[in-house]
mmCIF file with all atom_site columns, all heavy atoms in Angstrom:
data_model
loop_
_atom_site.group_PDB
_atom_site.id
_atom_site.type_symbol
_atom_site.label_atom_id
_atom_site.label_alt_id
_atom_site.label_comp_id
_atom_site.label_asym_id
_atom_site.label_entity_id
_atom_site.label_seq_id
_atom_site.pdbx_PDB_ins_code
_atom_site.Cartn_x
_atom_site.Cartn_y
_atom_site.Cartn_z
_atom_site.occupancy
_atom_site.B_iso_or_equiv
_atom_site.pdbx_formal_charge
_atom_site.auth_seq_id
_atom_site.auth_comp_id
_atom_site.auth_asym_id
_atom_site.auth_atom_id
_atom_site.pdbx_PDB_model_num
ATOM 1  N N   . GLY A 1 21 ? -52.176 -35.536 -9.814 1.00 72.00 ? 21 GLY A N   1
ATOM 2  C CA  . GLY A 1 21 ? -51.650 -34.173 -9.666 1.00 72.00 ? 21 GLY A CA  1
ATOM 3  C C   . GLY A 1 21 ? -51.891 -33.617 -8.281 1.00 72.00 ? 21 GLY A C   1
ATOM 4  O O   . GLY A 1 21 ? -51.017 -32.961 -7.694 1.00 72.00 ? 21 GLY A O   1
ATOM 5  N N   . ASN A 1 22 ? -53.085 -33.880 -7.719 1.00 72.00 ? 22 ASN A N   1
ATOM 6  C CA  . ASN A 1 22 ? -53.394 -33.415 -6.369 1.00 72.00 ? 22 ASN A CA  1
ATOM 7  C C   . ASN A 1 22 ? -52.472 -34.060 -5.338 1.00 72.00 ? 22 ASN A C   1
ATOM 8  O O   . ASN A 1 22 ? -51.992 -33.429 -4.394 1.00 72.00 ? 22 ASN A O   1
ATOM 9  C CB  . ASN A 1 22 ? -54.847 -33.719 -6.050 1.00 72.00 ? 22 ASN A CB  1
ATOM 10 C CG  . ASN A 1 22 ? -55.270 -33.110 -4.707 1.00 72.00 ? 22 ASN A CG  1
ATOM 11 O OD1 . ASN A 1 22 ? -54.781 -32.042 -4.331 1.00 72.00 ? 22 ASN A OD1 1
ATOM 12 N ND2 . ASN A 1 22 ? -56.171 -33.777 -4.012 1.00 72.00 ? 22 ASN A ND2 1
ATOM 13 N N   . PHE A 1 23 ? -52.162 -35.352 -5.529 1.00 69.00 ? 23 PHE A N   1
ATOM 14 C CA  . PHE A 1 23 ? -51.259 -36.071 -4.614 1.00 69.00 ? 23 PHE A CA  1
ATOM 15 C C   . PHE A 1 23 ? -49.854 -35.492 -4.654 1.00 69.00 ? 23 PHE A C   1
ATOM 16 O O   . PHE A 1 23 ? -49.203 -35.287 -3.619 1.00 69.00 ? 23 PHE A O   1
ATOM 17 C CB  . PHE A 1 23 ? -51.254 -37.554 -4.995 1.00 69.00 ? 23 PHE A CB  1
ATOM 18 C CG  . PHE A 1 23 ? -50.262 -38.367 -4.203 1.00 69.00 ? 23 PHE A CG  1
ATOM 19 C CD1 . PHE A 1 23 ? -50.511 -38.722 -2.884 1.00 69.00 ? 23 PHE A CD1 1
ATOM 20 C CD2 . PHE A 1 23 ? -49.057 -38.753 -4.783 1.00 69.00 ? 23 PHE A CD2 1
ATOM 21 C CE1 . PHE A 1 23 ? -49.599 -39.468 -2.162 1.00 69.00 ? 23 PHE A CE1 1
ATOM 22 C CE2 . PHE A 1 23 ? -48.126 -39.471 -4.059 1.00 69.00 ? 23 PHE A CE2 1
ATOM 23 C CZ  . PHE A 1 23 ? -48.395 -39.840 -2.750 1.00 69.00 ? 23 PHE A CZ  1
ATOM 24 N N   . LEU A 1 24 ? -49.398 -35.200 -5.903 1.00 68.00 ? 24 LEU A N   1
ATOM 25 C CA  . LEU A 1 24 ? -48.049 -34.646 -6.023 1.00 68.00 ? 24 LEU A CA  1
ATOM 26 C C   . LEU A 1 24 ? -47.957 -33.248 -5.440 1.00 68.00 ? 24 LEU A C   1
ATOM 27 O O   . LEU A 1 24 ? -46.938 -32.874 -4.829 1.00 68.00 ? 24 LEU A O   1
ATOM 28 C CB  . LEU A 1 24 ? -47.630 -34.625 -7.498 1.00 68.00 ? 24 LEU A CB  1
ATOM 29 C CG  . LEU A 1 24 ? -47.433 -36.002 -8.154 1.00 68.00 ? 24 LEU A CG  1
ATOM 30 C CD1 . LEU A 1 24 ? -47.116 -35.838 -9.633 1.00 68.00 ? 24 LEU A CD1 1
ATOM 31 C CD2 . LEU A 1 24 ? -46.311 -36.769 -7.456 1.00 68.00 ? 24 LEU A CD2 1
ATOM 32 N N   . LEU A 1 25 ? -49.010 -32.447 -5.579 1.00 66.00 ? 25 LEU A N   1
ATOM 33 C CA  . LEU A 1 25 ? -49.009 -31.111 -5.000 1.00 66.00 ? 25 LEU A CA  1
ATOM 34 C C   . LEU A 1 25 ? -48.972 -31.156 -3.486 1.00 66.00 ? 25 LEU A C   1
ATOM 35 O O   . LEU A 1 25 ? -48.328 -30.329 -2.822 1.00 66.00 ? 25 LEU A O   1
ATOM 36 C CB  . LEU A 1 25 ? -50.236 -30.326 -5.478 1.00 66.00 ? 25 LEU A CB  1
ATOM 37 C CG  . LEU A 1 25 ? -50.214 -29.874 -6.942 1.00 66.00 ? 25 LEU A CG  1
ATOM 38 C CD1 . LEU A 1 25 ? -51.538 -29.199 -7.302 1.00 66.00 ? 25 LEU A CD1 1
ATOM 39 C CD2 . LEU A 1 25 ? -49.052 -28.912 -7.191 1.00 66.00 ? 25 LEU A CD2 1
ATOM 40 N N   . GLN A 1 26 ? -49.686 -32.105 -2.885 1.00 66.00 ? 26 GLN A N   1
ATOM 41 C CA  . GLN A 1 26 ? -49.690 -32.227 -1.426 1.00 66.00 ? 26 GLN A CA  1
ATOM 42 C C   . GLN A 1 26 ? -48.341 -32.688 -0.882 1.00 66.00 ? 26 GLN A C   1
ATOM 43 O O   . GLN A 1 26 ? -47.936 -32.309 0.211  1.00 66.00 ? 26 GLN A O   1
ATOM 44 C CB  . GLN A 1 26 ? -50.798 -33.181 -0.977 1.00 66.00 ? 26 GLN A CB  1
ATOM 45 C CG  . GLN A 1 26 ? -52.195 -32.648 -1.237 1.00 66.00 ? 26 GLN A CG  1
ATOM 46 C CD  . GLN A 1 26 ? -53.266 -33.641 -0.810 1.00 66.00 ? 26 GLN A CD  1
ATOM 47 O OE1 . GLN A 1 26 ? -52.970 -34.764 -0.394 1.00 66.00 ? 26 GLN A OE1 1
ATOM 48 N NE2 . GLN A 1 26 ? -54.529 -33.220 -0.931 1.00 66.00 ? 26 GLN A NE2 1
ATOM 49 N N   . ARG A 1 27 ? -47.647 -33.545 -1.667 1.00 62.00 ? 27 ARG A N   1
ATOM 50 C CA  . ARG A 1 27 ? -46.376 -34.083 -1.195 1.00 62.00 ? 27 ARG A CA  1
ATOM 51 C C   . ARG A 1 27 ? -45.193 -33.157 -1.480 1.00 62.00 ? 27 ARG A C   1
ATOM 52 O O   . ARG A 1 27 ? -44.125 -33.301 -0.873 1.00 62.00 ? 27 ARG A O   1
ATOM 53 C CB  . ARG A 1 27 ? -46.102 -35.432 -1.868 1.00 62.00 ? 27 ARG A CB  1
ATOM 54 C CG  . ARG A 1 27 ? -47.077 -36.545 -1.466 1.00 62.00 ? 27 ARG A CG  1
ATOM 55 C CD  . ARG A 1 27 ? -46.901 -36.895 0.002  1.00 62.00 ? 27 ARG A CD  1
ATOM 56 N NE  . ARG A 1 27 ? -45.549 -37.315 0.310  1.00 62.00 ? 27 ARG A NE  1
ATOM 57 C CZ  . ARG A 1 27 ? -45.126 -38.573 0.194  1.00 62.00 ? 27 ARG A CZ  1
ATOM 58 N NH1 . ARG A 1 27 ? -45.949 -39.528 -0.213 1.00 62.00 ? 27 ARG A NH1 1
ATOM 59 N NH2 . ARG A 1 27 ? -43.874 -38.876 0.486  1.00 62.00 ? 27 ARG A NH2 1
ATOM 60 N N   . ALA A 1 28 ? -45.368 -32.223 -2.422 1.00 58.00 ? 28 ALA A N   1
ATOM 61 C CA  . ALA A 1 28 ? -44.257 -31.347 -2.807 1.00 58.00 ? 28 ALA A CA  1
ATOM 62 C C   . ALA A 1 28 ? -43.939 -30.374 -1.670 1.00 58.00 ? 28 ALA A C   1
ATOM 63 O O   . ALA A 1 28 ? -44.837 -29.845 -1.017 1.00 58.00 ? 28 ALA A O   1
ATOM 64 C CB  . ALA A 1 28 ? -44.602 -30.572 -4.081 1.00 58.00 ? 28 ALA A CB  1
ATOM 65 N N   . GLU A 1 29 ? -42.691 -30.161 -1.393 1.00 52.00 ? 29 GLU A N   1
ATOM 66 C CA  . GLU A 1 29 ? -42.244 -29.218 -0.367 1.00 52.00 ? 29 GLU A CA  1
ATOM 67 C C   . GLU A 1 29 ? -41.859 -27.895 -1.031 1.00 52.00 ? 29 GLU A C   1
ATOM 68 O O   . GLU A 1 29 ? -41.365 -27.852 -2.157 1.00 52.00 ? 29 GLU A O   1
ATOM 69 C CB  . GLU A 1 29 ? -41.028 -29.765 0.377  1.00 52.00 ? 29 GLU A CB  1
ATOM 70 C CG  . GLU A 1 29 ? -41.318 -31.050 1.125  1.00 52.00 ? 29 GLU A CG  1
ATOM 71 C CD  . GLU A 1 29 ? -40.084 -31.575 1.833  1.00 52.00 ? 29 GLU A CD  1
ATOM 72 O OE1 . GLU A 1 29 ? -39.012 -30.958 1.646  1.00 52.00 ? 29 GLU A OE1 1
ATOM 73 O OE2 . GLU A 1 29 ? -40.196 -32.578 2.551  1.00 52.00 ? 29 GLU A OE2 1
ATOM 74 N N   . SER A 1 30 ? -42.091 -26.825 -0.282 1.00 51.00 ? 30 SER A N   1
ATOM 75 C CA  . SER A 1 30 ? -41.734 -25.510 -0.812 1.00 51.00 ? 30 SER A CA  1
ATOM 76 C C   . SER A 1 30 ? -40.220 -25.394 -0.917 1.00 51.00 ? 30 SER A C   1
ATOM 77 O O   . SER A 1 30 ? -39.482 -25.851 -0.043 1.00 51.00 ? 30 SER A O   1
ATOM 78 C CB  . SER A 1 30 ? -42.294 -24.411 0.097  1.00 51.00 ? 30 SER A CB  1
ATOM 79 O OG  . SER A 1 30 ? -41.749 -24.543 1.395  1.00 51.00 ? 30 SER A OG  1
ATOM 80 N N   . TYR A 1 31 ? -39.742 -24.773 -1.994 1.00 50.00 ? 31 TYR A N   1
ATOM 81 C CA  . TYR A 1 31 ? -38.295 -24.645 -2.257 1.00 50.00 ? 31 TYR A CA  1
ATOM 82 C C   . TYR A 1 31 ? -37.940 -23.170 -2.273 1.00 50.00 ? 31 TYR A C   1
ATOM 83 O O   . TYR A 1 31 ? -38.581 -22.360 -2.950 1.00 50.00 ? 31 TYR A O   1
ATOM 84 C CB  . TYR A 1 31 ? -37.949 -25.283 -3.595 1.00 50.00 ? 31 TYR A CB  1
ATOM 85 C CG  . TYR A 1 31 ? -36.521 -25.092 -4.000 1.00 50.00 ? 31 TYR A CG  1
ATOM 86 C CD1 . TYR A 1 31 ? -35.506 -25.837 -3.408 1.00 50.00 ? 31 TYR A CD1 1
ATOM 87 C CD2 . TYR A 1 31 ? -36.185 -24.145 -4.959 1.00 50.00 ? 31 TYR A CD2 1
ATOM 88 C CE1 . TYR A 1 31 ? -34.181 -25.649 -3.779 1.00 50.00 ? 31 TYR A CE1 1
ATOM 89 C CE2 . TYR A 1 31 ? -34.866 -23.950 -5.329 1.00 50.00 ? 31 TYR A CE2 1
ATOM 90 C CZ  . TYR A 1 31 ? -33.869 -24.722 -4.742 1.00 50.00 ? 31 TYR A CZ  1
ATOM 91 O OH  . TYR A 1 31 ? -32.563 -24.537 -5.108 1.00 50.00 ? 31 TYR A OH  1
#
Side-chain angles (χ1 to χ4, degrees):
N22 186 33
F23 175 76
L24 293 176
L25 288 176
Q26 293 178 356
R27 293 294 302 273
E29 298 179 356
S30 60
Y31 175 76

